[in-house]
Amino acid sequence: MDPNTRGPEEHGHDGDGDTPRPRPSRDPLTPDFGQHAPGPARTVRLVVGEHLLTVNPVDGSEIELCPPTERPERPVKRTPEQRAEVERAAHPPAPAGPTRPAQPLLGRQDEREQLVRLLARGRSVRLVGPAGSGRTSLLDLVAEDCEDLAPDGVVRLSGFGRTPADLLHDLFHAVHEADRHRPDDEELRALVREIGAVVVVDDLDFGGTALDDLLDATPECAFLFGATPDTPPPSDDSAVEEVVLGGLDRAGGVDVIERAVGRTLTEEESNWAGDLWFESEGLPLRFVQAGALLRQRDQLRADVDAVDAFGVFEDARPLAEPVDAGAGDAEDIPLPSLGEAAAPAPLLAARLSASARATLRFAVALGGEVPHQAHLPALVGDTHADAALGELAACGLVSPVGTRYRLAAGVQTQLEAAGYGDDTETRALTAAQHYAWWAGHPSVTPERVCAEADAVLAALALVTPTTAPPAEDEEATAVRLARAAAPAFAAGLRWSAWEHALHEGAEAARLAGESADRAYFHHELGVLALCVGDLDRARSELEASLGLRNSLADKRGTVAGRRALALVADACGDIPGLASATVGEEVPDARHEESAPPPRGIQAALPTYPPEAQTLAHRPVPPTAPARHSRGGLKGLAKRNLVAAGAGALLVAVLGTVVTLGATSDNDADNPAGRGGVNPSASTGLSDGGPGSQTPSDDTGTGDTGTATSRPTDPGPDGTMGTADDPTPTGSATATTGAGGSQGSSGGTTPTPSHSTSSSPSSRPPSSSPRPSTSSSTGTGGSPSASPSQSPSTPPTPSNSPSTGTSASGTTSSAPVSPSTAGSASSSSSSSSSDSVI
């Protein structure tokens, strides 16, 4: 096939309407410059404070807590070589075309030396001068003189439209290497506090307390501010020196004009320059523009002489009207009038090229912002339009502001009066369409978009109010520009421009009726507010975005919005469901005088009470609380804690009752519970049967002393354990038969009281102190005494065993008995020798 006539398949189209594919490269080592399919959306990950922000231009930015592995290390300061590179990047780009020699600064030597002397002492200075007084040029010279004064060198910043927070972040990134890292306010202030540099800030817009806050945050820096007289002054307590910059004298003005023209002025031109000096109060900008007028006049005179001599170069005339005024005589071209010299912008623009005049129209439409020279060929429609910026700079119609150019002081008003602002809407729409395509192109980095931020925002602000619902397959220009520029501003850490673009985009989407775009802009505004710590605003913006996305069934956007809203709730300290769970509940105050918790054995012995008993210590939950939240979660945990606290309080109350009953029972002297021995006698109570009653006992587990007393516990008369006089141990409690024929515990049956209770007295340890027996030891006829025993077939003990009453040895073994058994006092008169012991 003819290589000069390629088919559609060779351009990536196979003719069937499919998506075009890139043509394979001939050499794999060289890039393929063919037409590529659109790539994936450009996403950027940023570390913002304690959050990890993923800028997503499609569904909305995603924010989460930054994992420890993603946390950047502490930023390090740049080396001197890197600082020099940053310093070069802080200057505006050189205009295209032939380089003009730099003009020396005349008549400013005294101010220059004074500023350097103050900065060398560590003092901060504010240079105040009107627009066009040469303030920026003087700051450049002072910055060169102070390169070796501070350890971190000189930092150039632009204060045009910047806040104190913006300047702090700019200063941080100018000194530190921290790509894709934006510290929070606390970390930022800690880092900039360690910076020691001479900071030159031109076009300062604020003063007062805001300026004091900037100075307090950077105690090791010496600032040189450039401001106009209408800028708010510093506060009275501020230690900022002020140097006023005035105009040039008459000789200095004439010298500036001669340097601009490149020759000595004639007497007529000198008188004309004197009148201009009186009218302009000696502002250097006016003399630069006056020198441009004389230079253009010389060019016109040269063009007229060339036409008269050769009859050619007629088409090379930039403008025919001034030449016609001279009627072909170069000597008859007059000097500009004093009025034209006072407002020279229209006359200077009329003698420039068509591309330069078109550039001025775009600058007027954009509020004074001159587009970068790389955009001029596309905007103007001329491939050589990038040279227009050099023409404008040579005439003094534009001046540098930071890293870009703006119309010089007074030029905007003069050009608008000359009709350069008649087609503002058309020019702004053209610029917005161009920037929307350019900012969304994958090859354009966020840093380049941030450098053009002011022109982009100016175009966006102009086209937003005129936004209308687009056609079916079209998209509003303002919405498309905001969608393309806002993610780039966020990724480039130009957050003031990001916020401005989001506000304009939300308004444009509302006017265009684009709900999806409105949801995106509200989501981004919420994420931005969350990053800067404005939680109330973040919540409202995210909720508005979620409402729109729910109506659109946007699942991905809804997920991103809910995650961001969860972070807002976490930052605010909100716990989902806890507020509704505790509605109507009162948590009792902490009590510091509570009883100690009972032993574990007593807790196990206590019965389990029904839930109604918990109301003694816990107020019931009102019926308004939903029952579905009572399980699991923080609400259920809090409720279970409250119920456990109530049960514990109830346990303490029951334990106190038991302890109180036991204490009061010991104080009764007639209570036989404390007088019984290890094997107490069974006496006849009021409701009991006789001693020989065979009524089964209700107590089956308590009162078993046989097992506990299987080993000897009485040392005997000699007081030594293990001797021959010790009492013989038995396997169970026994009793002897008295002299009166009473049946003891050694009989075949053991009388058991009919109303025995299984309470704690049976488990009390034997008393170590002797206690007199309540049974009578005199008389031979009485009721028999017997001891209850678990084993009715216990063998009898010898008749000469020690008694449990008052014995010769003086020892008495006593064990508590059940209250029913001890309730009836024994009236038998068994002898003390017949009482049984272990």
Side-chain angles (χ1 to χ4, degrees):
M1 180 177 289
D2 186 5
N4 298 324
T5 308
R6 298 176 180 177
E9 65 275 5
E10 297 187 45
H11 292 279
H13 303 273
D14 51 7
D16 56 358
D18 293 342
T19 304
R21 293 175 297 176
R23 179 167 51 88
S25 175
R26 299 186 183 90
D27 187 356
L29 299 180
T30 59
D32 184 11
F33 296 100
Q35 183 179 4
H36 292 270
R42 178 179 55 191
T43 59
V44 179
R45 293 165 64 91
L46 305 174
V47 177
V48 183
E50 61 179 3
H51 296 102
L52 178 63
L53 177 64
T54 303
V55 181
N56 185 354
V58 179
D59 300 320
S61 299
E62 300 178 4
I63 184 170
E64 59 181 335
L65 292 177
C66 185
T69 57
E70 298 287 342
R71 291 289 301 174
E73 298 180 356
R74 182 178 176 84
V76 297
K77 293 184 178 180
R78 301 181 186 272
T79 62
E81 294 76 12
Q82 293 173 335
R83 291 202 305 267
E85 184 65 26
V86 173
E87 173 68 16
R88 285 191 296 268
H91 291 278
T99 304
R100 297 181 59 85
Q103 299 294 330
L105 190 63
L106 304 176
R108 304 299 187 190
Q109 189 62 28
D110 295 340
E111 290 85 353
R112 179 179 180 179
E113 294 177 356
Q114 182 182 4
L115 293 174
V116 173
R117 187 164 54 250
L118 291 173
L119 292 174
R121 298 175 183 173
R123 307 295 297 273
S124 295
V125 191
R126 197 173 81 122
L127 180 63
V128 181
S133 60
R135 185 184 62 248
T136 302
S137 300
L138 179 59
L139 292 179
D140 292 339
L141 293 178
V142 174
E144 294 177 0
D145 297 337
C146 299
E147 289 181 353
D148 300 332
L149 292 182
D152 293 327
V154 178
V155 179
R156 294 292 307 269
L157 302 177
S158 175
F160 186 83
R162 308 292 282 168
T163 63
D166 295 335
L167 290 180
L168 286 178
H169 281 283
D170 294 343
L171 176 61
F172 163 74
H173 286 284
V175 177
H176 295 84
E177 290 186 86
D179 295 337
R180 305 290 186 260
H181 180 205
R182 181 182 174 92
D184 55 12
D185 185 69
E186 182 179 356
E187 183 181 2
L188 173 66
R189 291 181 177 272
L191 291 172
V192 298
R193 187 174 292 274
E194 302 175 357
I195 296 178
V198 176
V199 185
V200 181
V201 183
D202 197 7
D203 298 306
L204 186 68
D205 283 345
F206 58 87
T209 58
L211 184 60
D212 294 341
D213 182 68
L214 176 63
L215 295 175
D216 293 340
T218 54
E220 301 297 328
C221 294
F223 283 87
L224 176 57
F225 301 106
T228 56
D230 55 349
T231 303
S235 60
D236 297 336
D237 299 335
S238 177
V240 178
E241 300 285 343
E242 187 166 310
V243 176
V244 179
L245 189 62
L248 300 175
D249 55 9
R250 180 171 180 171
V254 172
D255 195 359
V256 170
I257 294 177
E258 290 181 348
R259 291 178 180 274
V261 177
R263 60 178 177 83
T264 304
L265 299 181
T266 63
E267 183 178 358
E268 182 184 8
E269 292 172 343
S270 298
N271 295 333
W272 176 78
D275 296 339
L276 179 64
W277 171 84
F278 181 80
E279 188 275 333
S280 65
E281 299 180 356
L283 292 179
L285 177 63
R286 303 289 294 277
F287 294 109
V288 172
Q289 294 173 347
L293 287 175
L294 293 182
R295 189 171 61 251
Q296 286 181 348
R297 178 172 176 263
D298 293 345
Q299 184 66 31
L300 290 175
R301 294 171 66 180
D303 293 341
V304 171
D305 291 341
V307 171
D308 292 342
F310 304 101
V312 294
F313 308 125
E314 186 71 20
D315 297 335
R317 299 175 183 176
L319 191 63
E321 289 78 2
V323 179
D324 294 341
D329 190 357
E331 298 296 334
D332 293 340
I333 298 178
L335 289 171
S337 63
L338 188 59
E340 292 175 339
L347 183 58
L348 287 172
R351 295 174 177 177
L352 296 177
S353 63
S355 298
R357 292 195 298 271
T359 302
L360 288 176
R361 293 184 181 275
F362 276 103
V364 170
L366 298 178
E369 293 291 338
V370 180
H372 193 275
Q373 55 187 352
H375 299 282
L376 294 180
L379 292 173
V380 175
D382 184 5
T383 56
H384 300 285
D386 54 345
L389 183 62
E391 296 183 49
L392 299 177
C395 294
L397 294 179
V398 297
S399 58
V401 176
T403 60
R404 64 191 190 280
Y405 288 91
R406 284 182 56 88
L407 292 179
V411 174
Q412 173 87 10
T413 305
Q414 298 172 21
L415 293 179
E416 289 178 350
Y420 278 78
D422 295 342
D423 54 351
T424 298
E425 295 182 0
T426 304
R427 301 282 179 177
L429 181 60
T430 303
Q433 292 173 347
H434 167 74
Y435 283 130
W437 166 83
W438 172 75
H441 199 277
S443 64
V444 180
T445 61
E447 289 74 17
R448 292 178 59 188
V449 181
C450 292
E452 198 73 7
D454 294 276
V456 172
L457 293 178
L460 181 60
L462 289 173
V463 298
T464 296
T466 60
T467 302
E472 183 177 356
D473 297 334
E474 295 181 359
E475 186 178 3
T477 302
V479 175
R480 189 157 53 92
L481 176 58
R483 288 293 299 261
F489 292 151
L493 299 178
R494 186 71 181 271
W495 281 19
S496 57
W498 184 26
E499 182 179 7
H500 190 180
L502 292 176
H503 281 295
E504 295 290 345
E507 178 64 17
R510 185 188 67 83
L511 295 175
E514 299 290 345
S515 299
D517 293 319
R518 285 187 64 191
Y520 167 81
F521 290 123
H522 283 295
H523 174 85
E524 294 294 286
L525 286 171
V527 172
L528 173 60
L530 176 59
C531 291
V532 299
D534 193 351
L535 301 181
D536 293 336
R537 178 182 169 190
R539 186 192 302 274
S540 61
E541 295 287 353
L542 290 172
E543 288 177 350
S545 175
L546 283 175
L548 292 171
R549 283 176 166 172
N550 287 334
S551 63
L552 297 171
D554 185 1
K555 295 183 179 180
R556 292 186 177 180
T558 301
V559 170
R562 287 177 178 174
R563 289 178 179 174
L565 197 59
L567 284 180
V568 174
D570 181 68
C572 294
D574 299 340
I575 302 178
L578 183 59
S580 60
T582 57
V583 172
E585 296 185 2
E586 279 188 9
V587 179
D589 296 336
R591 298 173 60 185
H592 302 284
E593 297 181 0
E594 296 180 349
S595 303
R600 183 172 301 175
I602 297 179
Q603 291 181 6
L606 289 176
T608 303
Y609 291 90
E612 291 78 3
Q614 296 178 3
T615 59
L616 296 175
H618 180 64
R619 182 169 299 179
V621 181
T624 56
R628 61 185 177 89
H629 293 291
S630 61
R631 299 176 182 268
L634 294 178
K635 175 182 176 181
L637 178 61
K639 192 169 184 180
R640 289 194 296 271
N641 290 341
L642 294 178
V643 173
L650 178 62
L651 182 62
V652 172
V654 174
L655 179 63
T657 303
V658 174
V659 173
T660 303
L661 290 176
T664 56
S665 63
D666 291 339
N667 295 333
D668 190 0
D670 297 333
N671 187 5
R675 299 194 297 269
V678 176
N679 295 310
S681 299
S683 302
T684 303
L686 296 177
S687 60
D688 293 345
S693 175
Q694 300 299 323
T695 305
S697 174
D698 296 333
D699 189 2
T700 59
T702 61
D704 184 8
T705 59
T707 304
T709 59
S710 61
R711 299 180 62 185
T713 58
D714 193 355
D718 58 352
T720 305
M721 297 288 293
T723 58
D725 59 3
D726 293 348
T728 302
T730 59
S732 61
T734 60
T736 61
T737 305
S742 60
Q743 184 180 1
S745 61
S746 61
T749 60
T750 302
T752 304
S754 59
H755 296 283
S756 175
T757 58
S758 59
S759 59
S760 61
S762 63
S763 62
R764 294 177 61 184
S767 175
S768 61
S769 62
R771 186 174 296 179
S773 176
T774 59
S775 61
S776 175
S777 61
T778 60
T780 59
S783 61
S785 95
S787 300
S789 175
Q790 290 179 349
S791 175
S793 61
T794 305
T797 58
S799 59
N800 58 353
S801 358
S803 64
T804 59
T806 304
S807 61
S809 63
T811 60
T812 303
S813 298
S814 61
V817 297
S818 61
S820 62
T821 305
S824 59
S826 175
S827 60
S828 63
S829 58
S830 59
S831 62
S832 61
S833 62
S834 64
D835 294 338
S836 61
V837 296
I838 298 178

